[in-house]
Amino acid sequence: MKGQITQIGALLVGSAALLFAGGINALILPLRGTIEGFSELSLGLLGTGWAVGYVAGCLQVPRLVARVGHIRAFSSMSALAAISILASLLLLHAPAWILLRALAGFCFAGAAMIVESWLNERTAPHLRGRVFGIYTMVNLAATTAGQMLLTLGDPAGYVFFVMAAIFYCVAILPTSMTATIQPQPMTTASLDLRTLWRNSPLAVCAVMLVGVSNSSFGTLGAVFGAEIGLETGTIALFLSIAVIAGAALQVPVGMLSDQVDRRFVLLGLAGVAALVDLVFVLVAPTNPMQVLLLASVFGAAVYAMYPVIVAHANDHAPDNYYLRTSGGLLMLFGVGSIVGPLMAGGLMQTVGPRGLFMTSLVAHVLLIAYGVFRLGSRAAPATVDKGNFHAAPLAAATTPQTLVLNPSADEEQIDDELRDAEDALRNAAAEEGQEGDVEEGQEGDVEAPEDGEKKPDPEG
């Protein structure tokens, strides 16, 4: 394992720089937008723009990489992300910020996918679980550190915009200086809604509703904090403590869901989140300690839901369908993430800060209602027939390549689906008359890894 970490250390540093910059970027924009007098609806549209760009990046970046290669594509994504945050400093207008946020979402998805593709290439199959865990912890720590950095200065200045741009550029270095062969072609996320619905209607509805709730909180939580009078440091902690609590609860929640009907676990989490929503809506606490305590309970519930939904859907999915099921759910989460901030922003503009948790409350009540209905429609699978639960990064920071790196699928299954992805990308390149632009290191059949080793391309 020590040798494995040595091999991927540079990539982990690059990923940490990317997520550190993303943490700054996600928090500085709503805080600065509030200072500039942007409406809550406009600030909600920042989240909608990000989600649109992120989903588009997950769908389109593999085609771009197939044409120009991993290194050039990653450098372009990181550079454009840096440009987007610097341009936001120059163009202090809500419409410009929404478009630039969409560009940042596209670039962030692409850059993350390429780092994860490289990690998967360099990771021995039997160590994938440990590497995935380390990668997740590094990204969580980097995102939290980026958010907490804002406690050290004034968001009304230019420093945090520049810092984010610097770290987007730092993220380029590990991949641009590598001497290794290009990674395997990426897998793309597909949305087979008919099959997803047939496998698990609850997963389809729940993942979109969780997307509504989580994206609303992630986008407008800082605005909520500012409007109830929290200081910048407390706002950063308000968002960070929710994410940390959600990450910490995933393992015990996963162990429980492996033993009982996952639907009960999901409904329990939604019930806890709905109770916190009610407190924020009806009591409207403003004391910092009370708000932070409620945020930790809220985050523990809402950020543990997504991996339970994915595990439940895969329990009912056909064999060798893990990546397609998880990738489809990821796209549906993105749909919810597009709608959520728009709804929450409109409500906050109408009824004030509590509109954020009114949106979340509606989403959680609908999830509970439909979940209770589905309990009587299908029996839970036997415990021995369940797949194992695996913790996951925040869905908003998950890409199709994260699904490949996640050890939830076995090696043979991943190899089969990667070969399908490679064939699809080659056919697309051939149809566009650009097959000759595919990087030499990606030509030829990609052989399945054997004995824990990744084999280089035979023509590379």
Side-chain angles (χ1 to χ4, degrees):
M1 186 64 190
K2 182 178 179 181
Q4 182 74 74
I5 295 299
T6 300
Q7 293 181 29
I8 65 172
L11 284 173
L12 292 176
V13 171
S15 181
L18 185 70
L19 270 294
F20 185 83
I24 300 173
N25 197 349
L27 189 52
I28 188 61
L29 291 182
L31 288 177
R32 182 60 177 270
T34 302
I35 294 172
E36 297 293 331
F38 293 178
S39 69
E40 289 87 348
L41 179 60
S42 296
L43 294 173
L45 283 169
L46 293 180
T48 296
W50 166 268
V52 169
Y54 201 91
V55 170
C58 290
L59 294 172
Q60 297 299 321
V61 166
R63 292 176 176 267
L64 173 65
V65 172
R67 289 198 297 268
V68 305
H70 287 70
I71 294 175
R72 281 178 285 181
F74 182 85
S75 298
S76 299
M77 295 295 101
S78 297
L80 284 172
I83 290 171
S84 73
I85 188 67
L86 291 175
S88 298
L89 179 61
L90 297 177
L91 305 172
L92 295 174
H93 306 286
W97 275 28
I98 294 167
L99 295 176
L100 290 169
R101 190 62 175 150
L103 174 62
F106 182 90
C107 296
F108 196 87
M113 288 177 72
I114 294 169
V115 168
E116 291 163 357
S117 175
W118 236 294
L119 281 173
N120 187 58
E121 182 76 14
R122 294 188 184 183
T123 301
H126 67 285
L127 294 176
R128 183 186 288 137
R130 280 187 258 178
V131 168
F132 179 78
I134 293 171
Y135 169 74
T136 301
M137 288 188 294
V138 167
N139 286 355
L140 175 61
T143 301
T144 303
Q147 292 178 337
M148 294 306 296
L149 183 70
L150 273 77
T151 64
L152 303 179
D154 184 2
Y158 66 89
V159 173
F160 294 119
F161 290 85
V162 175
M163 288 290 291
I166 289 173
F167 277 92
Y168 277 132
C169 294
V170 169
I172 297 174
L173 301 179
T175 54
S176 63
M177 299 175 67
T178 184
T180 61
I181 62 171
Q182 297 280 326
Q184 296 177 14
M186 294 180 180
T187 183
T188 56
S190 59
L191 182 56
D192 184 354
L193 189 56
R194 179 179 298 178
T195 301
L196 285 172
W197 181 263
R198 184 171 61 248
N199 292 341
S200 177
L202 176 59
V204 170
C205 294
V207 80
M208 287 193 290
L209 291 170
V210 171
V212 169
S213 168
N214 293 14
S215 64
S216 299
F217 180 76
T219 300
L220 293 167
V223 179
F224 171 87
E227 291 188 355
I228 66 172
L230 299 182
E231 297 180 352
T232 300
T234 307
I235 293 172
L237 188 57
F238 173 66
L239 296 177
S240 298
I241 199 171
V243 173
I244 294 170
L249 195 67
Q250 283 194 27
V251 172
V253 163
M255 294 174 63
L256 178 62
S257 74
D258 283 341
Q259 301 300 318
V260 303
D261 189 337
R262 298 196 205 275
R263 294 173 295 182
F264 289 130
V265 177
L266 178 61
L267 292 178
L269 292 171
V272 171
L275 287 175
V276 178
D277 292 330
L278 277 174
V279 173
F280 275 116
V281 171
L282 299 179
V283 180
T286 57
N287 179 276
M289 291 304 299
Q290 293 177 348
V291 171
L292 292 177
L293 177 60
L294 288 169
S296 64
V297 177
F298 180 81
V302 300
Y303 289 127
M305 289 186 198
Y306 178 77
V308 174
I309 295 170
V310 173
H312 171 70
N314 279 298
D315 287 342
H316 297 283
D319 292 337
N320 295 327
Y321 214 77
Y322 167 76
L323 292 182
R324 279 167 285 186
T325 298
S326 301
L329 292 175
L330 176 62
M331 294 299 100
L332 290 174
F333 181 91
V335 173
S337 298
I338 292 169
V339 175
L342 180 60
M343 292 176 54
L347 270 175
M348 291 179 73
Q349 188 165 317
T350 302
V351 302
R354 69 182 67 194
L356 172 61
F357 289 96
M358 291 175 65
T359 302
S360 183
L361 178 61
V362 170
H364 293 142
V365 168
L366 289 175
L367 194 163
I368 293 169
Y370 189 65
V372 170
F373 168 76
R374 288 299 304 172
L375 285 174
S377 302
R378 174 190 280 180
T383 301
V384 295
D385 295 329
K386 288 183 177 181
N388 291 327
F389 176 94
H390 288 272
L394 296 183
T398 299
T399 75
Q401 282 302 130
T402 315
L403 305 176
V404 178
L405 186 61
N406 192 326
S408 298
D410 60 37
E411 187 69 18
E412 180 180 355
Q413 178 180 347
I414 287 178
D415 291 338
D416 290 342
E417 298 206 38
L418 282 176
R419 275 192 285 269
D420 291 343
E422 179 188 18
D423 292 341
L425 290 174
R426 288 186 183 286
N427 292 337
E431 291 173 1
E432 295 173 8
Q434 297 175 332
E435 193 170 20
D437 293 334
V438 178
E439 287 291 310
E440 182 180 358
Q442 296 178 9
E443 296 181 359
D445 293 333
V446 178
E447 299 182 20
E450 297 179 10
D451 300 326
E453 295 293 331
K454 295 286 186 182
K455 290 189 176 182
D457 190 307
E459 293 184 28

